[in-house]
Amino acid sequence: MTFSIVARSADGESWGVAVASKFLAVGSAVPAAVAGVGAIATQADANVAYKGLALAHLDDGATAEVALQRLLEEDEGHDHRQVGIVDVDGNAASHTGTACLDWAGSRTGPGYAIQGNILTGAEVVDAVEAAWLASPEDAPLAHRLLEALTAGDEAGGDSRGRQSAALLVVEEGAGYGGLDDIAVDLRVDDHPAPIGELARLLELNDLYLTASTEEEKVPVTPELAEELDRLAREAGARDFAAWVGTENYEMRVAADGSWIDEKVLAIIRGDRS
């Protein structure tokens, strides 16, 4: 009752899962990933224990194929399961049990595993794969995954309709404040257009929870610092640092005030376009 893509970025630094379904809160059941280890999607009659088990096997050095084989051997209900795994090196494996409801199937390739069940047809996973392969390899993994998921939805998606979607991406040090590996963890639990809503949330995630690139950093001169404090006070804040904390822009302004992200600079100056 779900379609998903599990993938590793071309540079080998990020792993992630994008998933959509006519199922409440699909993000709570299907995806799991650990930076430097791999990622998994478990679906159909999902065995959520697969998530921890698979990542443990991968962490012990198993390839995606070996980890998948171990899961199936240990699970009497494997005929009802569907699962995709990508390991640390980008090896991919996918399984569709014989008891999964039509249409059900998968596609795998270097760095990706795509799977779906109760779909309108094979064209869904074909569209996901085509979009993944056509997207620029240097694009952020979250955006590549979302683009692929969107293509599958436009091709028909879940034959029962739409309800939820989720996006999970991990990369070492990419989390809030650089203190964990969760680069993106977004869930739309119940929505008439969940993938569109997921896209909206990803834009917000990019602004609030993604660190600035070097190209986006604007050095703060004494003159700019004075301007920023003035603008912050005009906005009702004690000073610029207080404005940053109130508006939740900590990921895009240097803690020591030495630089400000170009997007945040435009916002405080009143240009929110």
Side-chain angles (χ1 to χ4, degrees), residues 29-202:
V30 171
V34 173
V37 175
I40 176 175
T42 175
Q43 54 199 56
D45 185 1
N47 183 339
V48 295
Y50 275 11
K51 294 187 286 188
L53 292 171
L55 292 170
H57 291 321
L58 296 177
D59 196 33
D60 286 340
T63 64
E65 188 64 42
V66 170
L68 176 59
Q69 189 60 37
R70 290 177 181 173
L71 293 179
L72 301 180
E73 289 174 350
E74 297 165 359
D75 182 8
E76 293 182 358
H78 63 264
D79 285 346
H80 298 268
R81 317 296 189 204
Q82 190 171 53
V83 57
I85 301 174
V86 173
D87 64 29
V88 66
D89 295 317
N91 301 304
S94 187
H95 163 79
T96 299
T98 57
C100 290
L101 299 177
D102 289 335
W103 186 90
S106 64
R107 304 284 184 270
T108 60
Y112 68 89
I114 300 162
Q115 41 284 316
N117 63 94
I118 318 185
L119 304 183
T120 58
E123 66 274 5
V124 177
V125 292
D126 290 341
V128 174
E129 182 177 46
W132 170 259
L133 295 175
S135 61
E137 290 189 350
D138 60 352
L141 180 59
H143 289 264
R144 294 189 70 192
L145 291 171
L146 181 59
E147 185 176 337
L149 195 72
T150 300
D153 184 59
E154 292 174 348
D158 190 318
S159 62
R160 301 163 306 157
R162 302 173 177 88
Q163 186 169 9
S164 66
L167 181 61
L168 173 65
V169 174
V170 297
E171 179 179 340
E172 291 187 7
Y176 185 76
L179 300 178
D180 67 17
D181 64 2
I182 305 297
V184 178
D185 187 4
L186 299 173
R187 302 177 183 182
V188 179
D189 289 343
D190 186 25
H191 195 280
I195 296 179
E197 177 64 5
L198 194 62
R200 186 186 71 83
L201 294 177
L202 182 57

